[in-house]
């Protein structure tokens, strides 16, 4: 069976061998897992895409105080090609931060893409009204949102191709014999803010079921400016609270093994974060089974969401800088 | 001027009116001795136009029409009003349609006779206010003249086109619709950030003008012209293309697309007495057609 690219080339009467060879080329049997991982960080119009032999990382940031990263491994593709030597030949290998937040010396190429348009193209065959970028994740069950990611019936297949800086990002999609060729404008990669989470020791950690955390976020007062998160070695072990115009909300949780695994707390701390930024993670949270909450010594918060992908899992990280208030902490927050 | 008839197929009448419902608030009904015509003009210069005709015999019986202008009557009406009136007539024992005056104003009156559960006859009258057009006004409304099409091709299944178009509609305000004589169609939309072309293959070409029904029954196989792979394309307003795609609930199986490059897109939907869309064997059942004219976008 001729590759999708050559069939489109035939249809468009174009010689596919024109131009430089591809720096990156990959195929997917089903676009759904990729769509989900993009929707998990889908709240901005531009995304930084980092391509390496390990796979793709999609990074968005906001207000210099929050970074979100979605990891899509090369093994999730049915075929994956990345010309590392050609990429290395480019000037300025960027400082690349990996899944665990460590600096990594892997050869990469980076490009900034229009995220909303990318998602709209990938969901071209989803049918009317299936929602574009964000897919409105709030309050929807995980299974509905993932849309039977393992179901290959009626699936859109895709070929992705990128020839390097200055080229468009190309997608060839196919479903039921209908082929769509999409070209996305690319931009100079804009580095995301590096919040250096891993540079400082993690002092607090817990892993909980995402449905619990989802309920907690649904209860928060959205008019409040800040949300405070505290983990303690004594009761209440985990506390999320807001104070807003409509009053205050507080959720506290016991160290109940049904809810919480892998808990440790080396240092008592309460930190506050901008609520509107924290709530950006709701799409990723909605799609995930488990969430890992970590706080480092400087009070930076990392939420890591584990999302089922095909028969495996993928991760999305959200890192938040704490609010440093000029005023003292309001007394009511310390119960 | 006089008009009175018995409506023998109110279901078909309703479906014709329902299919034009989303296009506009009002339309023009042209009643003649042998056919019923409905004209919807969304915008005289740049908008989509729909010209519908149905044989009277497929809708009516005991048909009587009388006017000073060649026994033709032209009425402007609200689509929603007529649709609601026809809906309430579904399943009735007997339906009469006539032009009359109520409180000095012209109306199309639908007299609907039903039988109650006790066997009593119930009569319901629905009045649809109309504006009678003068022959001079009607002269100004003429079916657009289009040159012969460059290519005629059967549209892909409407469901697939609709879902793709739904996504593409946010990408730009104009769309390029092209087809060739090899059964291929392509639809393209582009803006600063994204350029999408969708290809459909394996479609059937028709070599003759579909307004001549004999030509369809005697369809020639695609002859091998020297340039059959060449695409003919018309660039139209996305808004008009979407209006056409959304304009009927029941997706007919066969819609013919005719592309006149640099001029217009024309879509033909044939009406059979049992439903919309004529298969290759069903042309003899043809009792009417819906013709959509979409002019190319004026730069």
């Amino acid at each position: 069976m001729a590759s999708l690219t050559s069939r489109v080339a035939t249809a468009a009467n174009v010689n596919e061998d024109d131009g430089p060879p591809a720096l990156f080329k990959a195929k997917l049997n089903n676009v759904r897992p990729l769509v989900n991982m993009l929707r998990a960080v889908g709240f901005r119009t531009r995304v930084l895409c980092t391509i390496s032999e390990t796979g793709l990382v999609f990074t968005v940031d906001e207000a210099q105080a929050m970074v979100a990263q979605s990891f899509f491994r090369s093994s999730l593709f049915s075929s994956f090609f990345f010309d590392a030597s050609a990429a290395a030949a480019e000037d300025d290998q960027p400082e690349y931060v990996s899944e665990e937040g460590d600096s990594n010396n892997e050869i990469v190429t980076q490009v900034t893409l229009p995220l909303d348009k990318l998602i709209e193209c990938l969901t071209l065959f989803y049918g009317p009204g299936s929602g574009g970028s964000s897919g409105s994740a709030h309050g929807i069950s995980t299974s509905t949102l993932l849309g039977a990611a393992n179901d290959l019936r009626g699936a859109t297949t895709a070929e992705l191709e990128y020839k390097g800086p200055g080229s468009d990002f190309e997608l060839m999609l196919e479903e039921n014999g209908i082929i769509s060729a999409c070209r996305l404008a690319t931009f100079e990669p804009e580095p995301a803010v590096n919040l250096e989470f891993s540079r400082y020791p993690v002092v607090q950690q817990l892993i909980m079921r995402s449905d619990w955390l989802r309920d907690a976020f649904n209860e928060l007062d959205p008019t409040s400016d800040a949300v405070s998160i505290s983990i303690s070695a004594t009761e209440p072990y985990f506390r999320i609270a807001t104070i807003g115009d409509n009053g205050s909300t507080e959720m506290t949780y016991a160290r109940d093994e049904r809810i919480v695994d892998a808990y440790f707390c080396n240092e008592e701390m309460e930190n506050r974060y901008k609520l509107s930024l924290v709530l950006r993670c709701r799409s990723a949270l909605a799609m995930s089974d488990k969430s890992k909450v970590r706080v480092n010594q400087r009070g930076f918060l990392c939420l890591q969401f584990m999302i089922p992908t095909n028969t495996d899992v993928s991760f999305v990280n959200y890192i938040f800088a704490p609010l440093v208030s000029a005023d003292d902490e309001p007394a009511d927050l310390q119960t | 001027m006089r008009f009175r008839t018995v409506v023998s197929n109110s279901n078909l009448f309703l479906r014709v009116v329902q299919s034009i419902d989303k296009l506009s608030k009002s339309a023009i009904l042209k009643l003649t001795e042998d056919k019923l015509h409905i004209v919807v003009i969304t915008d005289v210069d740049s908008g989509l136009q729909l010209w519908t005709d149905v044989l009277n015999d497929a809708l009516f019986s005991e048909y009587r029409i009388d006017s000073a202008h060649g026994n033709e009557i032209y009425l402007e009406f609200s689509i929603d009003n007529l649709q609601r009136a026809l809906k309430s007539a579904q399943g009735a024992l007997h339906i009469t349609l006539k032009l009359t005056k109520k409180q000095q104003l012209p109306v199309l009156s639908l007299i609907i006779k039903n039988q109650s559960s006790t066997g009593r006859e119930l009569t319901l009258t629905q009045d649809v206010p109309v504006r009678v057009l003068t022959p001079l006004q009607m002269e100004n409304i003429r079916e657009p003249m289009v040159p012969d099409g460059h290519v005629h091709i059967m549209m892909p299944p409407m469901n697939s086109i609709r879902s793709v178009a739904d996504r593409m509609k946010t990408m730009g305000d104009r769309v390029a619709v092209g087809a060739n004589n090899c059964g291929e169609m392509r639809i393209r939309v582009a803006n600063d950030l994204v350029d999408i072309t969708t290809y459909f293959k394996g479609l059937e070409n028709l070599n003759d003008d579909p307004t001549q029904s004999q030509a369809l029954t005697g369809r020639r196989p695609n002859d091998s012209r020297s340039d059959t792979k060449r695409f003919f394309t018309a660039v139209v307003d996305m808004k008009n293309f979407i209006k056409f795609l959304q304009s009927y609930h029941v997706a007919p199986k066969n819609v013919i697309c005719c592309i006149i490059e640099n001029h217009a897109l024309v879509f033909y939907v044939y009406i059979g007495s049992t439903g919309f869309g004529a298969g290759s064997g069903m042309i003899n059942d043809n009792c009417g057609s819906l013709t959509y004219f979409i002019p190319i976008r004026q730069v």
Side-chain angles (χ1 to χ4, degrees):
Chain A
M1 167 109 121
S3 78
L4 208 51
T5 330
S6 62
R7 282 160 70 199
V8 169
T10 314
N13 290 326
V14 155
N15 181 354
E16 64 161 343
D17 290 326
D18 287 346
L23 185 60
F24 161 67
K25 206 162 169 174
K27 290 188 198 180
L28 276 173
N29 286 335
N30 184 348
V31 297
R32 273 189 200 275
L34 179 60
V35 171
N36 289 336
M37 292 308 280
L38 287 170
R39 280 181 171 162
V41 295
F43 56 88
R44 301 282 284 179
T45 53
R46 296 273 190 272
V47 63
L48 175 70
C49 176
T50 304
I51 310 171
S52 70
E53 277 166 354
T54 314
L56 306 179
V57 184
F58 299 100
T59 309
V60 298
D61 64 344
E62 190 170 344
Q64 298 291 305
M66 176 259 248
V67 179
Q69 289 190 302
S70 182
F71 297 88
F72 203 79
R73 290 189 304 286
S74 45
S75 56
L76 292 169
F77 290 90
S78 60
S79 81
F80 189 95
F81 168 76
F82 174 63
D83 191 345
S85 49
E90 288 167 41
D91 307 327
D92 301 331
Q93 274 291 300
E95 194 207 311
Y96 164 53
V97 178
S98 78
E99 209 168 286
E100 287 308 307
D102 307 320
S103 262
N104 190 309
N105 285 327
E106 214 181 344
I107 307 270
V108 304
T109 191
Q110 289 188 320
V111 62
T112 292
L113 301 171
L115 178 56
D116 50 349
K117 300 298 174 215
L118 173 59
I119 295 173
E120 278 171 32
C121 289
L122 288 169
T123 56
L124 204 67
F125 297 105
Y126 271 32
S130 301
S133 318
S134 69
S136 228
H138 307 172
I140 296 174
S141 77
T142 311
S143 55
T144 314
L145 202 63
L146 286 170
N150 299 327
D151 186 351
L152 290 183
R153 283 172 303 163
T156 307
T157 60
E159 278 182 27
L160 287 64
E161 185 171 324
Y162 178 57
K163 294 193 163 91
S167 313
D168 290 337
F169 194 85
E170 292 169 43
L171 294 172
M172 255 74 71
L173 305 161
E174 177 173 6
E175 175 152 340
N176 283 334
I178 303 167
I179 298 174
S180 261
C182 308
R183 307 180 72 94
L184 290 162
T186 57
F187 302 90
E188 284 282 316
E190 295 148 20
V193 63
N194 183 358
L195 297 178
E196 299 186 318
F197 182 79
S198 302
R199 217 171 130 206
Y200 298 88
V202 170
V203 297
Q204 298 177 345
Q205 173 176 302
L206 57 81
I207 297 179
M208 66 180 65
R209 276 183 24 208
S210 295
D211 53 1
W212 181 92
L213 194 57
R214 232 177 354 259
D215 289 342
F217 277 18
N218 285 340
E219 295 299 319
L220 297 179
D221 174 8
T223 67
S224 170
D225 195 50
V227 58
S228 96
I229 292 180
S230 41
I231 297 178
S232 161
T234 56
E235 295 230 15
Y237 298 106
F238 182 59
R239 185 169 168 277
I240 303 180
T242 58
I243 292 186
D245 298 336
N246 298 340
S248 63
T249 65
E250 176 189 87
M251 265 86 42
T252 59
Y253 297 88
R255 197 168 155 179
D256 180 330
E257 269 148 34
R258 281 172 300 166
I259 291 169
V260 167
D261 330 318
Y263 166 94
F264 71 79
C265 175
N266 294 341
E267 197 176 308
E268 306 261 322
M269 236 202 305
E270 177 175 334
N271 293 290
R272 292 163 70 238
Y273 308 92
K274 194 158 165 62
L275 179 59
S276 58
L277 292 180
V278 172
L279 290 179
R280 295 276 193 245
C281 76
R282 292 174 90 171
S283 311
L285 175 57
M287 286 188 256
S288 65
D289 288 339
K290 282 188 176 178
S291 306
K292 187 196 279 188
V293 180
R294 288 183 293 168
V295 181
N296 73 12
Q297 203 174 57
R298 284 177 75 221
F300 282 63
L301 169 69
C302 177
L303 298 177
Q304 185 178 77
F305 302 105
M306 188 174 85
I307 297 177
T309 315
N310 294 342
T311 51
D312 205 336
V313 293
S314 296
F315 294 94
V316 178
N317 284 345
Y318 273 75
I319 300 173
F320 305 93
L323 288 173
V324 180
S325 53
D327 309 314
D328 295 328
E329 290 277 351
D332 356 5
L333 271 182
Q334 319 274 358
T335 332
Chain B
M1 134 180 344
R2 260 196 291 250
F3 170 70
R4 188 192 177 96
T5 182
V6 170
V7 179
S8 49
N9 194 342
S10 63
N11 184 257
L12 181 58
F13 198 178
L14 173 63
R15 281 188 290 138
V16 172
V17 176
Q18 274 175 331
S19 67
I20 67 176
D21 176 49
K22 294 206 179 92
L23 294 176
S24 176
K25 287 212 154 57
S26 65
I28 294 167
L29 194 59
K30 176 172 159 180
L31 302 164
T32 70
E33 278 171 339
D34 52 318
K35 285 186 182 173
L36 175 132
H37 300 261
I38 302 181
V39 182
V40 183
I41 298 178
T42 60
D43 182 316
V44 178
D45 298 312
S46 63
L48 172 154
Q49 293 190 19
L50 170 60
W51 292 70
T52 306
D53 63 87
V54 186
L55 289 171
N56 286 338
D57 290 342
L59 296 170
F60 307 126
S61 58
E62 297 172 45
Y63 189 87
R64 274 185 204 82
I65 191 165
D66 185 24
S67 88
H69 187 79
N71 290 339
E72 293 183 344
I73 297 175
Y74 318 110
L75 306 169
E76 189 179 5
F77 67 100
S78 140
I79 297 173
D80 193 47
N81 285 345
L82 182 57
Q83 193 184 190
R84 281 195 270 134
L86 287 171
K87 260 205 187 133
S88 66
Q90 296 305 297
L93 285 176
H94 190 271
I95 307 162
T96 308
L97 180 67
K98 68 177 187 183
L99 182 63
T100 181
K101 271 206 174 128
K102 297 273 170 82
Q103 286 153 1
Q104 324 275 283
L105 295 168
V107 297
L108 263 182
S109 226
L110 206 62
I111 300 154
I112 303 159
K113 292 203 165 79
N114 266 312
Q115 196 167 54
S116 78
S117 47
T118 57
R120 201 84 74 74
E121 195 179 79
L122 300 171
T123 302
L124 169 69
T125 304
Q126 297 271 27
D127 292 327
V128 178
V130 296
R131 182 167 78 98
V132 181
L133 297 181
T134 66
L136 197 61
Q137 285 169 320
M138 199 56 202
E139 281 287 299
N140 294 331
I141 301 166
R142 244 175 266 162
E143 198 160 334
M145 299 298 282
V146 286
D148 286 338
H150 292 110
V151 62
H152 304 280
I153 191 166
M154 298 294 247
M155 291 286 277
M158 295 307 278
N159 286 335
S160 5
I161 276 231
R162 271 192 200 132
S163 85
V164 169
D166 196 65
R167 218 27 122 245
M168 287 169 87
K169 76 182 182 216
T170 58
M171 311 270 186
D173 56 5
R174 74 191 71 182
V175 58
V177 179
N180 63 16
N181 279 303
C182 276
E184 295 173 342
M185 175 176 272
R186 66 181 184 203
I187 299 177
R188 181 175 176 211
V189 67
N191 63 29
D192 291 340
L193 296 175
V194 63
D195 185 328
I196 303 182
T197 307
T198 302
Y199 300 86
F200 300 87
K201 300 169 88 163
L203 306 172
E204 199 177 336
N205 283 104
L206 305 169
N207 289 336
D208 301 297
D209 190 333
T211 55
Q212 291 151 34
S213 51
Q214 297 102 322
L216 272 170
T217 48
R219 205 176 297 152
R220 291 197 308 270
N222 289 341
D223 53 3
S224 49
R225 293 181 215 185
S226 55
D227 212 4
T228 47
K229 281 186 160 287
R230 186 247 211 255
F231 273 89
F232 295 93
T233 305
V235 181
V236 300
D237 270 338
M238 177 65 80
K239 187 167 51 85
N240 287 332
F241 185 56
I242 297 293
K243 268 192 179 168
F244 154 68
L245 290 176
Q246 287 174 343
S247 90
Y248 24 69
H249 319 278
V250 179
K253 286 196 284 294
N254 296 305
V255 179
I256 298 167
C257 171
C258 172
I259 300 176
I260 307 127
E261 215 171 45
N262 299 319
H263 195 98
L265 276 184
V266 185
F267 295 98
Y268 301 94
V269 181
Y270 287 96
I271 303 173
S273 57
T274 48
F276 287 24
S280 38
M282 276 174 65
I283 294 299
N284 296 331
D285 195 23
N286 192 11
C287 63
S289 64
L290 295 147
T291 306
Y292 295 81
F293 291 94
I294 304 180
I296 57 159
R297 184 184 165 90
Q298 306 301 329
V299 181

